Amino acid sequence: MDNYTNDNTARRYKAHVSIFGTTQLHLRNPYIIAWWSAAFPGFGHMLLSKYLRGYALFIWEVIVNVKAHINSSMIYSFQGNIDMAKEVLNTRWLLMYIPVYLFGIWDSYRTTIDMNRVYLLAEREEHRFNSFSLGALEINYLDKRDPILAVMWSSFIPGLGQLYLHRILTAIFIIVWLVVFYYYSHIQEAVLLLVLGKVKEATSVLKPEWLLFIPSHYGFAIYDAYINTVENNKLFKKELRGYLTEHYQSEGFQIKKGRKVK
């Protein structure tokens, strides 16, 4: 068995490489994670690689938001039509939405602080982890990638940046929900009509309550792809440095401090 496989021989690992992606611990700003949870419940947890919790909160947000007509109410509020904004709200769903929304923000903030502590402990233990995974369906390995390319592909279609980085599960989740948002918002039809110069028709076919999901979706996909590319590059360098030190550096090698020249 590979001595570097994550087989619980160490108390804490910094990373795990599987055929579905690379999961790693690194320092994160809890306020940024909480902000993403406020922008769209589930995003903060997905940034922390807490995928099951993140997916659950994301799906909850979409279902309850649509049922409570929260986005529609926001649109009327932006237009200054406060009475209509109150009227469209479905309070039966809204009262369920608020506690879960607040929980997502609080839990992502709390979890970030805890995971930062775990990372510092794992960094001190410096236990080696697997850096290559070969399976029947996929191959994944640590490698350097370009953050700009990750941003570029995510800007074209959210999820492509994650595929470039080999974050398979997150990529599939983002792409599937992008299709859902595109379909129900009719944004593709609106763009085609706009290109044809039919501005009024383009505006009329849009479904704003679904359209409002798309900016957050794009923003998260771009941010997630960029941050994880940068952190994966750091992880690759650390892993390679440790391997070269262990296998190629002489045991008697020492770096001596020289005298300061006055």
Side-chain angles (χ1 to χ4, degrees):
M1 181 180 290
D2 187 350
N3 293 329
Y4 300 147
T5 301
N6 294 7
D7 54 3
N8 291 325
T9 56
R11 192 174 184 188
R12 299 176 183 88
Y13 294 94
K14 288 188 295 185
H16 175 68
V17 176
S18 73
I19 62 172
F20 297 110
T22 301
T23 304
Q24 65 168 306
L25 292 171
H26 61 84
L27 292 177
R28 298 173 172 90
N29 188 326
Y31 293 104
I32 292 178
I33 300 299
W35 185 89
W36 276 111
S37 292
F40 206 116
F43 281 166
H45 290 86
M46 289 165 66
L47 286 169
L48 295 173
S49 299
K50 306 281 284 186
Y51 298 118
L52 294 180
R53 198 178 306 184
Y55 296 163
L57 287 170
F58 183 99
I59 295 170
W60 171 273
E61 160 69 16
V62 174
I63 294 175
V64 180
N65 189 309
V66 171
K67 292 293 184 179
H69 305 295
I70 293 173
N71 282 351
S72 298
S73 178
M74 289 174 60
I75 292 168
Y76 285 120
S77 298
F78 296 154
Q79 294 173 346
N81 194 345
I82 305 302
D83 292 335
M84 195 62 185
K86 294 178 182 178
E87 186 177 338
V88 297
L89 281 175
N90 187 329
T91 54
R92 289 183 300 173
W93 286 92
L94 181 64
L95 293 177
M96 288 193 296
Y97 176 86
I98 295 173
V100 177
Y101 180 81
L102 295 176
F103 169 81
I105 299 172
W106 169 81
D107 188 64
S108 63
Y109 178 86
R110 174 196 63 82
T111 304
T112 305
I113 294 175
D114 287 344
M115 290 181 65
N116 283 346
R117 293 169 180 167
V118 172
Y119 166 78
L120 293 175
L121 293 172
E123 185 76 6
R124 180 168 295 185
E125 291 179 17
E126 293 186 348
H127 191 82
R128 293 294 302 278
F129 55 89
N130 63 319
S131 59
F132 183 90
S133 181
L134 175 64
L137 298 176
E138 267 288 354
I139 302 172
N140 187 23
Y141 49 89
L142 284 181
D143 193 13
K144 287 190 70 176
R145 293 177 172 87
D146 190 344
I148 303 302
L149 284 178
V151 169
M152 181 190 73
W153 285 116
S154 293
S155 300
F156 291 153
I157 293 291
L160 295 184
Q162 281 70 23
L163 282 178
Y164 168 67
L165 192 56
H166 201 97
R167 289 166 58 81
I168 304 298
L169 294 178
T170 302
I172 293 173
F173 188 85
I174 291 175
I175 291 173
V176 167
W177 278 100
L178 179 70
V179 173
V180 172
F181 295 151
Y182 272 177
Y183 179 81
Y184 284 105
S185 68
H186 299 278
I187 189 172
Q188 305 285 49
E189 298 173 42
V191 170
L192 180 59
L193 289 170
L194 190 62
V195 171
L196 296 173
K198 301 178 181 179
V199 179
K200 290 184 178 180
E201 291 183 33
T203 305
S204 63
V205 300
L206 281 174
K207 301 296 181 184
E209 63 272 20
W210 287 93
L211 183 65
L212 284 187
F213 289 127
I214 295 178
S216 298
H217 207 65
Y218 264 89
F220 169 76
I222 294 170
Y223 179 81
D224 177 78
Y226 177 80
I227 289 297
N228 279 287
T229 304
V230 171
E231 294 299 333
N232 271 26
N233 288 346
K234 293 179 183 178
L235 186 68
F236 169 77
K237 291 179 182 178
K238 287 182 181 178
E239 194 278 335
L240 182 60
R241 186 186 302 120
Y243 178 83
L244 294 176
T245 300
E246 180 178 344
H247 292 276
Y248 292 97
Q249 184 171 289
S250 171
E251 294 182 359
F253 178 80
Q254 292 182 348
I255 298 178
K256 295 183 180 180
K257 295 182 178 180
R259 294 182 179 179
K260 293 182 178 179
V261 179
K262 295 182 179 180

